[in-house]
Amino acid sequence: MLQPLSSALFFFSLFSSIATIPLKKPPTPLQPRQYSWDWSEDTVQTQTTQTGSTGGGWPGWSSISTLFAFGASYTTEADGPNFVTYLTTLYNSSTITTHNFAFSGAKVDQTATATNSQGKSSTNDLVHQISGPFSKFANPPTTSWGAGNGTAWTPSSTLFLSFFGINDVYTNDAYESPAFNSTTLDAVFSSYETSLSALYDAGARNFLVINLPPLDLSPQFNGAISGGDGDATKTEAVRTAIEAFNGRVPDLLDQLRGAHADASWQWYDLHELFERTIEDQGQAEMADIGKPALTNVRDRSPPGSSGGNEGAEGYFWLNEIHPTRVVHQVLAKEIAGELGGVEWGER
């Protein structure tokens, strides 16, 4: 069962949120594992799994004191805390200061895919998250820098988390383009490599990249909502596009590992966790794991607020493509475990 935290201190700004939480109990390193849900008891069944290799120099989760997060809505939104918040405040193995630059609707590179019909500007993508809000933190590698102005961090004790691709695939139905799985992804991953290399040049030495979830199993594509994209052609197209994107993630990190062997390059298989849990409904005590919690699936309001529904903790999906805070919590616990953090059953 989870134990409550005694204190928390949060500072928020437009592009950066910082959270510092003291750790109560030293962790015990884990072997890589995966989780599926027992919703009635808030416990997890475990299985070992293969995860991405680290390259050189991973110091261990307990050595991390700073976390920089880059991404889109999965990284910055939920109907409550999301996985970044849980990593910082509940499944931390040390006191962690987190700077979250994620922005809803963000892509790897706005110029590589179709124009965002939601009106998101190019200043939201990874390219501009690095050149914009992160820029005040970037300096040539030294032991530590920025002391006194709130930007201090040390390369060896800092983790750079990157979670992109959903909007590159999904926005304006980009996945339906015949060129998406070849020419478009060539451009996306070329930019992805350039951006992660830019972070390396700025001093980053520990990287974690998260691949894409199976959107084809989400309410937007599984037929659970009216007005979705649940016809067989679109569902297969998005499944194929996500498979193509995810297939390039290990190759991307292999290339970066070859160029920067002194850094730790890791990737987390979110797709496998979601796919196995959704398809093995016997592990989750839910009436229908494919239905969204919110009646109005376009609404981002937390349950209980205007437009929201109570009881989202009983659902996997919050709306058409986003998971609930319960899923975010389990995701955070698994990531921490695979990074060598919390002992299962501690929190």
Side-chain angles (χ1 to χ4, degrees):
M1 297 299 292
L2 303 178
Q3 301 298 318
L5 291 172
S6 59
S7 63
L9 179 63
F10 290 94
F11 304 92
F12 294 98
S13 64
L14 178 61
F15 289 107
S16 176
S17 61
I18 303 174
T20 304
I21 300 294
L23 178 70
K24 287 186 173 182
K25 183 178 179 181
T28 301
L30 295 179
Q31 294 297 316
R33 60 181 63 200
Q34 289 186 332
Y35 302 133
S36 57
W37 284 260
D38 176 349
W39 300 85
S40 61
E41 298 295 333
D42 191 25
T43 59
V44 173
Q45 309 299 319
T46 64
Q47 294 180 352
T48 58
T49 184
Q50 183 65 39
T51 56
S53 59
T54 63
W58 170 241
W61 181 232
S62 62
S63 297
I64 297 300
S65 59
T66 305
L67 171 62
F68 289 108
F70 302 84
S73 57
Y74 266 58
T75 311
T76 192
E77 294 179 5
D79 58 312
N82 70 0
F83 79 96
V84 175
T85 303
Y86 282 125
L87 281 172
T88 306
T89 65
L90 187 58
Y91 300 118
N92 52 316
S93 294
S94 56
T95 299
I96 297 177
T97 298
T98 291
H99 306 272
N100 193 341
F101 304 120
F103 203 101
S104 178
K107 301 179 177 182
V108 171
D109 188 337
Q110 185 72 26
T111 66
T113 54
T115 302
N116 194 326
S117 61
Q118 299 173 353
K120 309 292 187 188
S121 71
S122 62
T123 57
N124 299 323
D125 61 15
L126 175 58
V127 175
H128 290 83
Q129 287 178 26
I130 294 172
S131 64
F134 173 73
S135 61
K136 70 178 181 180
F137 296 91
N139 274 289
T142 60
T143 302
S144 184
W145 58 85
N149 64 6
T151 62
W153 59 284
T154 302
S156 62
S157 61
T158 301
L159 177 64
F160 285 73
L161 184 153
S162 180
F163 184 3
F164 286 92
I166 290 177
N167 294 299
D168 300 83
V169 170
Y170 179 62
T171 300
N172 277 6
D173 298 333
Y175 60 89
E176 291 190 286
S177 168
F180 182 83
N181 295 338
S182 55
T183 306
T184 300
L185 284 186
D186 287 345
V188 168
F189 275 85
S190 176
S191 180
Y192 211 168
E193 182 176 5
T194 298
S195 290
L196 294 181
S197 293
L199 289 174
Y200 175 90
D201 292 340
R205 290 299 180 269
N206 301 304
F207 294 83
L208 176 64
V209 175
I210 299 175
N211 71 3
L212 302 188
L215 293 184
D216 52 301
L217 301 179
S218 72
Q220 180 67 19
F221 292 94
N222 69 13
I225 61 173
S226 61
D229 297 319
D231 67 84
T233 300
K234 288 197 171 193
T235 300
E236 178 60 21
V238 77
R239 187 199 66 77
T240 301
I242 289 171
E243 183 179 77
F245 187 101
N246 285 348
R248 295 189 182 221
V249 170
D251 294 338
L252 168 68
L253 296 190
D254 283 345
Q255 293 171 2
L256 289 164
R257 190 177 297 114
H260 309 295
D262 61 325
S264 168
W265 301 95
Q266 303 182 75
W267 64 276
Y268 174 74
D269 194 356
L270 177 63
H271 187 279
E272 201 283 336
L273 174 66
F274 273 36
E275 183 177 59
R276 179 174 51 82
T277 304
I278 292 169
E279 293 185 344
D280 186 7
Q281 295 191 39
Q283 293 291 334
E285 295 184 359
M286 307 176 70
D288 190 336
I289 202 168
K291 290 183 178 179
L294 296 180
T295 302
N296 177 5
V297 296
R298 309 300 175 188
D299 191 349
R300 298 297 189 267
S301 303
S305 65
S306 177
N309 293 337
E310 295 288 355
E313 67 275 3
Y315 290 81
F316 187 100
W317 298 105
L318 177 64
N319 51 38
E320 78 277 24
I321 62 171
H322 297 88
T324 63
R325 63 186 181 273
V326 179
V327 179
H328 277 278
Q329 184 173 348
V330 177
L331 170 59
K333 188 159 193 173
E334 186 185 77
I335 289 176
E338 292 196 9
L339 291 176
V342 295
E343 176 71 27
W344 169 241
E346 276 188 10
R347 286 181 258 177

